[in-house]
Amino acid sequence: MANRGEIAVRVMRTCREMGIKTVAVFSDADRTSMHVRYSDEAVHIGPPLSSDSYLNIDKIIEAAKQTNADAIHPGYGFLSENAEFSDRCKKEGITFIGPSADSISQMGDKITARKTIIKAGVPVVPGTMDPIEKEEDAVTKINEIGLPVMIKASAGGGGKGMRLVNAEKEIIPSIRAAKSEAKAAFGNDAVYIEKYISSPHHIEFQVLADKFGNVIHLFERECSVQRRHQKVIEETPSPLMTPEVRNEMGNHAVAVAKAAKYEGAGTIEFIVDDNLNYYFLEMNTRLQVEHPITERVVGIDLVKEQINIANGLELTYKQEDLSQNGHAIECRIYAEDPDNNFIPSPGKILHITEPLGFGVRHDGYVYEGYEIPHYYDPLISKLIVWGKTREEAIARMRRSLFSYKITGVKTSIKFLERIMSVPDFVDGNYNTHFIEKNRKILNQGDKCKGDCKAMAIIAAFVDYEQKLSKVAPKSDNQNSNSSWKLNNRRKNMVRF
Ligand code: MV4
């Protein structure tokens, strides 16, 4: 398991179910980490810095050889989308649980990906198909496409090396800025132009592809609730989607995976406008953080499928076997301070009470007394709930967040609780600007003194939760169904 934290534990859980022995790798900062405790064996791979440990290909390969590992699961982040690593595993005779180096490189280079995708008949954002060579040509092209446009680094992704251009005089400075940023970040300064899609939704499709060319999709995830290109909440089905568009986008996602000769679990990202026009954005050639919502609604363990595919087994599901059952939402719980610009808050967990109960899944790795290191992503856990309907899932997420207690570090829990009561979220009426649009309500939280409607809803909700959780007063009257209590409760009851 070439990873750490919650994803390492999550993958090893499935291995244990499948009777597969696991080897953890760990840096000096992770000696007491849960993934080390959960594994069957653990190998130390170096100092805390990722570049010296979890990103060091030689160290990981050495650990695999030392323990006679048959296969490596890369998780997400770290080496998961590194073509060289996929290739190196192959050369060493170790199965890489993921796609080939060629598939990774083809999708990692956005210009190559756009060309492949167009050939497959899938809509891409209108724009250029080759790197910008001459600045004058770019100006001509942009005038054809029409402002605003985005300049994007071909080697970029996830928001890095992007520039929005609103006015003609910004074109050349933006190209130069994007190029130098791309050069510094990726060692490749190729940039291209896309028409700007304003107020988009981010909707992605999960795919599974085996070594025999069978490809299925597992429907969509709505990921528009994000902050600075970091997803905050994901849900499936998307409140925006219709059965017709879902079917069409799903077929296009399958076409993308086939065009990339893809193998394993992958995700096709689309940007979608309010009129449900959709365009391919990028393909993520790994298991994603938010994969559990798909698992819950479709009923398939994606890690088990990844392992079986890597092991050369044929997919046992056909597209027509799959359907979406109910609604799932995931909240990402970070060790960060939502009232102080989300600065990371690593440190020791003094107390943790995890939410439990029907329809709740909690994918985490911390325990009482564990110290979250400052070297890595401060994700503590992912809280995933399921409900028959979206309304039920939201109510279940509210009560789960309400009963989730962590002390010792600051967490994003109360910020997520606020989102669950913001009218635009409750109505399913949101796009990638949601957090910015609702910034006032979300950021001021308890301090909000204005006459804002959402704060009233939050206050009413907190009141409701307190009523449900308070201890019944001692009474001489042993009949606890006294009428004042019942009236009080009925007033607050919600029916689904
Ligand atoms: C865009 C766009 C609008 N028009 N491209 C941001 C991350 C990277 N994957 C692509 N991104 C965007 N590309 C065009 N032509 C708006 C975004 C964008 C965005 C996309 C998905 C999720 C969140 C986003 C937040 C801001 C901007």
Side-chain angles (χ1 to χ4, degrees):
M1 184 66 224
N3 214 301
R4 64 175 303 282
E6 72 82 22
I7 194 60
V9 178
R10 187 264 166 270
V11 170
M12 291 191 292
R13 285 193 179 109
T14 289
C15 291
R16 195 164 286 272
E17 279 180 31
M18 295 175 81
I20 296 167
K21 295 270 192 227
T22 54
V23 180
V25 291
F26 64 96
S27 71
D28 286 327
D30 273 337
R31 288 185 185 278
T32 62
S33 199
M34 184 65 92
H35 75 284
V36 176
R37 297 182 176 194
Y38 194 91
S39 66
D40 294 296
E41 280 178 77
V43 180
H44 175 246
I45 50 165
L49 279 185
S50 302
S51 50
D52 297 329
S53 50
Y54 300 105
L55 284 172
N56 187 320
I57 294 179
D58 288 333
K59 293 263 185 72
I60 306 269
I61 296 290
E62 201 181 297
K65 287 183 151 175
Q66 194 186 317
T67 52
N68 262 317
D70 303 299
I72 297 183
H73 195 298
Y76 53 70
F78 296 125
L79 294 170
S80 61
E81 293 183 282
N82 186 309
E84 186 193 334
F85 184 55
S86 172
D87 200 43
R88 179 72 186 278
C89 290
K90 191 175 174 183
K91 289 210 172 80
E92 301 283 354
I94 303 164
T95 301
F96 177 72
I97 304 175
S100 69
D102 279 353
S103 292
I104 297 174
S105 319
Q106 191 179 15
M107 287 300 162
D109 184 86
K110 307 303 162 201
I111 291 176
T112 313
R114 277 165 69 80
K115 287 182 176 159
T116 310
I117 267 54
I118 285 193
K119 262 193 259 157
V122 177
V124 304
V125 187
T128 57
M129 297 315 298
D130 289 295
I132 299 175
E133 300 286 358
K134 290 207 198 81
E135 286 171 350
E136 313 87 84
D137 296 351
V139 176
T140 315
K141 270 270 182 269
I142 290 172
N143 286 327
E144 275 169 37
I145 298 165
L147 286 165
V149 297
M150 296 206 86
I151 313 284
K152 293 188 175 184
S154 187
K160 276 176 268 160
M162 270 179 19
R163 281 286 184 292
L164 171 60
V165 183
N166 278 305
E168 184 155 353
K169 67 176 192 319
E170 295 168 13
I171 295 177
I172 289 175
S174 296
I175 291 173
R176 290 181 185 164
K179 271 179 166 294
S180 73
E181 194 178 311
K183 183 83 190 166
F186 317 111
N188 171 353
D189 73 351
V191 296
Y192 65 102
I193 304 159
E194 278 185 4
K195 183 162 184 53
Y196 179 64
I197 311 294
S198 65
S199 312
H201 288 250
H202 170 143
I203 298 180
E204 57 187 32
F205 273 71
Q206 177 71 53
V207 297
L208 283 173
D210 68 17
K211 292 182 192 291
F212 306 94
N214 302 305
V215 185
I216 54 175
H217 74 82
L218 289 81
F219 309 100
E220 81 280 10
R221 293 185 287 260
E222 169 67 70
C223 304
S224 298
V225 180
Q226 55 83 41
R227 200 189 144 269
R228 300 194 182 159
H229 305 300
Q230 277 270 36
K231 291 168 191 161
V232 176
I233 293 171
E234 305 93 354
E235 63 176 313
T236 185
S238 165
L240 188 73
M241 201 54 73
T242 64
E244 294 73 29
V245 176
R246 174 178 294 118
N247 187 37
E248 201 183 291
M249 286 177 81
N251 291 339
H252 276 149
V254 167
V256 170
K258 285 188 171 162
K261 298 193 169 48
Y262 198 76
E263 245 183 70
T267 297
I268 325 295
E269 289 184 9
F270 295 95
I271 37 177
V272 186
D273 70 19
D274 288 335
N275 300 319
L276 283 175
N277 297 307
Y278 61 88
Y279 309 94
F280 169 84
L281 203 53
E282 44 194 80
M283 178 167 187
N284 299 317
T285 55
R286 59 164 194 276
L287 185 71
Q288 295 207 219
V289 176
E290 60 273 24
H291 74 277
I293 58 172
T294 298
E295 296 187 317
R296 189 63 185 81
V297 161
V298 184
I300 289 177
D301 179 334
L302 286 167
V303 173
K304 188 181 273 184
E305 297 306 317
Q306 285 188 297
I307 293 171
N308 283 337
I309 289 167
N311 200 19
L313 300 181
E314 205 170 343
L315 280 174
T316 55
Y317 302 97
K318 298 251 176 295
Q319 191 64 52
E320 55 272 23
D321 300 336
L322 307 182
S323 59
Q324 293 166 296
N325 173 20
H327 199 97
I329 305 176
E330 173 179 278
C331 281
R332 298 188 183 192
I333 317 296
Y334 283 97
E336 64 186 17
D337 185 356
D339 292 332
N340 193 4
N341 205 25
F342 299 86
I343 57 164
S345 174
K348 194 177 229 167
I349 305 283
L350 296 180
H351 171 84
I352 177 165
T353 300
E354 299 174 65
L356 297 167
F358 182 56
V360 179
R361 167 173 173 181
H362 186 239
D363 275 24
Y365 78 108
V366 307
Y367 53 87
E368 252 166 43
Y370 175 69
E371 191 165 342
I372 299 172
H374 64 266
Y375 294 97
Y376 315 109
D377 186 63
L379 183 73
I380 298 174
S381 71
K382 303 177 315 202
L383 178 55
I384 302 106
V385 303
W386 175 87
K388 289 189 301 296
T389 60
R390 186 170 188 270
E391 292 68 31
E392 192 180 56
I394 292 173
R396 190 159 285 149
M397 183 59 86
R398 283 180 182 149
R399 73 97 169 142
S400 300
L401 290 166
F402 168 79
S403 53
Y404 194 172
K405 311 288 180 199
I406 293 181
T407 64
V409 299
K410 298 250 171 36
T411 78
S412 52
I413 294 173
K414 64 179 168 185
F415 183 73
L416 295 161
E417 277 189 280
R418 288 175 207 153
I419 293 179
M420 286 299 138
S421 292
V422 171
D424 281 346
F425 183 81
V426 174
D427 296 343
N429 169 33
Y430 66 84
N431 57 39
T432 50
H433 300 310
F434 169 78
I435 289 183
E436 186 54 31
K437 184 175 171 226
N438 291 282
R439 187 168 46 101
K440 252 183 145 158
I441 323 163
L442 289 170
N443 289 355
Q444 295 182 13
D446 318 328
K447 284 173 280 181
C448 177
K449 292 193 192 76
D451 56 345
C452 105
K453 186 177 146 199
M455 274 316 294
I457 293 170
I458 292 168
F461 179 71
V462 169
D463 189 43
Y464 160 69
E465 283 286 25
Q466 278 169 355
K467 278 188 183 121
L468 290 183
S469 64
K470 76 178 178 190
V471 177
K474 275 233 160 62
S475 161
D476 294 331
N477 179 358
Q478 287 306 300
N479 174 12
S480 63
N481 293 329
S482 76
S483 61
W484 71 266
K485 274 190 207 159
L486 277 178
N487 286 340
N488 230 345
R489 286 177 189 171
R490 282 201 183 118
K491 231 180 15 217
N492 292 306
M493 213 167 92
V494 189
R495 176 146 226 133
F496 297 108

